[in-house]
Amino acid sequence: MTISDYGYVPNTENLPGIPARVTAVHKERYEIVCDYGITHARLKTKAYYSGCAEFPTTGDFVMIHYIPNGDSQILATLPRRTFFSRREPGPVPRDQAVAANFDYVFLMQSLNMDFNPKRLERYLTIAWQSGATPVILLTKADLAEDYWEYLSAVERVAAGVNVHVVSAHTGYGLERLNAYLQPGKTVVFLGSSGVGKSSLVNVLAGEDIMTVNGIREDDSKGRHTTTHRQLIRLKSGVMIIDTPGMRELGMWDVSEGLGEAFADVERFVGKCRFRDCRHIAEPGCAVKAAIDSGELDIARWESYRKLKEESVDREEMLRRKREWSKGVAKFSKERKKALH
């Protein structure tokens, strides 16, 4: 087994160390795989805490200084092909990395009481923003007598996205996933707790490699099974990044993702008479006219507007993060002076 089996493609960068891929993150310790096998590593403190490098996440390719009988040292994070993050709440805004370097995002919704088109709109926006291809999986088909109503709801919010109805319990529809599950490809599983991510991983792997928990009968909501993001390489050569169930996904700048996920809305946004139109009561508002005529679903407009307002500009986040880092560094420096 070599790092190439984990999707690494040699590049022309002349960096010290050898390449590795991050398979899991445990606070300040990283599980990695390289040509020497599976091992652990820690960050080279100066390179990362000075703000000069992106902190690695699951799926990242990194350069390491390999240490045979201890934790290796991560020297640099290599450029990402695709990247998925979410906004972390708190007084200081932080961009929480979720996964990197994947080809497809399997957006999973179960065919039970937990089915939620609004959440799917949010997932779609972030999936498109990542640069990868979203694929919608409607899981637990064995629990639905008639899933056409669910399909209709998905098609209203996800035009042009491939949708597959599957069941890990019966195997229904799984053969249609073969087009995505090719050797060397990496797939992110994204969905709420109890949606069936772990069950599907086990079926695709052909063995029980993930713990499976049940769901609450009163509301069909699941208990957390996955507690951290983990990259798993199946015997077929496919790599899967399983994520903890996330009901809420705070977002940064998702302008590209919104354009893809809400193409039906954005085709009206730029056609108003006034460039600064707020789409409330201004004359010549193309959005309001489309809603009045029935060309635009008001529910889709409200979803778009809400996600647009929630999105925080990434450059502003980085500016505030730099200011916070400078403040911490200044405080530390002053404290050291006071102690001496």
Side-chain angles (χ1 to χ4, degrees):
M1 191 72 66
T2 67
I3 186 62
S4 297
D5 296 315
Y6 278 81
Y8 176 72
V9 177
N11 53 55
T12 57
E13 293 180 273
N14 186 22
L15 296 174
I18 64 170
R21 192 170 195 186
V22 177
T23 55
V25 180
H26 305 281
K27 293 186 178 179
E28 297 180 356
R29 198 165 185 242
Y30 297 79
E31 182 181 297
I32 62 171
V33 61
C34 63
D35 286 343
Y36 293 101
I38 297 173
T39 184
H40 290 85
R42 295 181 183 272
L43 300 177
K44 183 178 181 181
T45 306
K46 184 177 180 181
Y48 283 93
Y49 288 93
S50 64
C52 299
E54 292 283 354
F55 281 78
T57 188
T58 304
D60 263 324
F61 291 104
V62 295
M63 299 302 290
I64 66 167
H65 168 56
Y66 178 69
I67 300 175
N69 299 313
D71 287 351
S72 296
Q73 190 177 48
I74 298 178
L75 307 175
T77 304
L78 297 179
R80 293 161 172 157
R81 183 166 46 84
T82 54
F83 179 57
F84 170 44
S85 67
R86 68 173 179 173
R87 190 180 69 213
E88 210 175 34
V92 179
R94 292 200 302 169
D95 195 9
Q96 184 192 42
V98 175
N101 299 312
F102 44 89
D103 301 280
Y104 301 103
V105 183
F106 279 6
L107 306 175
M108 302 174 66
Q109 292 248 305
S110 56
L111 297 176
N112 58 15
M113 291 169 58
D114 198 39
F115 179 77
N116 190 325
K118 293 293 183 184
R119 189 184 304 136
L120 182 58
E121 288 177 327
R122 182 180 292 268
Y123 284 169
L124 271 169
T125 300
I126 296 180
W128 281 120
Q129 185 72 21
S130 74
T133 301
V135 180
I136 298 172
L137 302 189
L138 299 182
T139 63
K140 304 187 178 181
D142 51 290
L143 300 181
E145 294 183 5
D146 184 0
Y147 54 76
W148 294 107
E149 184 178 342
Y150 293 99
L151 276 175
S152 296
V154 170
E155 288 173 356
R156 285 194 293 271
V157 302
V161 178
N162 289 339
V163 183
H164 302 284
V165 178
V166 301
S167 169
H169 180 65
T170 66
Y172 176 80
L174 296 184
E175 72 283 353
R176 297 171 187 169
L177 305 184
N178 292 337
Y180 316 105
L181 302 173
Q182 298 296 315
K185 297 293 184 181
T186 301
V187 181
V188 169
F189 280 28
L190 182 61
S192 301
S193 300
V195 79
K197 298 191 300 295
S198 297
S199 296
L200 185 56
V201 170
N202 288 342
V203 170
L204 296 177
E207 57 183 317
D208 291 339
I209 58 177
M210 302 292 292
T211 302
V212 177
N213 284 342
I215 61 173
R216 301 195 298 260
E217 293 183 3
D218 57 342
D219 60 5
S220 295
K221 293 180 180 179
R223 306 176 181 88
H224 290 290
T225 301
T226 304
T227 58
H228 61 277
R229 293 171 294 281
Q230 181 178 5
L231 184 146
I232 304 163
R233 186 181 185 277
L234 306 184
K235 294 176 181 177
S236 63
V238 178
M239 283 153 288
I240 291 173
I241 299 178
D242 191 21
T243 63
M246 291 180 284
R247 294 189 179 279
E248 298 300 327
L249 286 173
M251 299 186 298
W252 294 111
D253 175 30
V254 288
S255 54
E256 292 182 19
L258 278 172
E260 294 282 0
F262 289 87
D264 57 326
V265 176
E266 289 214 334
R267 68 191 181 100
F268 297 108
V269 171
K271 294 184 178 179
C272 299
R273 181 186 303 175
F274 302 108
R275 293 181 61 183
D276 59 348
C277 183
R278 295 176 300 163
H279 317 297
I280 299 176
E282 293 86 349
C285 175
V287 171
K288 188 174 183 300
I291 292 173
D292 292 342
S293 68
E295 289 183 87
L296 177 60
D297 186 346
I298 190 170
R300 287 284 286 165
W301 165 248
E302 288 299 329
S303 293
Y304 173 85
R305 184 182 60 80
K306 181 180 179 181
L307 294 179
K308 186 82 169 177
E309 290 176 355
E310 182 183 332
S311 175
V312 178
D313 185 78
R314 186 179 178 86
E315 289 302 318
E316 173 64 13
M317 180 275 295
L318 291 173
R319 183 187 67 78
R320 291 165 66 183
K321 186 176 180 180
R322 284 193 295 268
E323 289 181 355
W324 178 78
S325 297
K326 287 179 181 178
V328 171
K330 183 179 180 181
F331 174 78
S332 296
K333 188 175 182 180
E334 291 175 350
R335 183 175 173 81
K336 286 180 180 178
K337 285 183 177 180
L339 292 173
H340 290 83

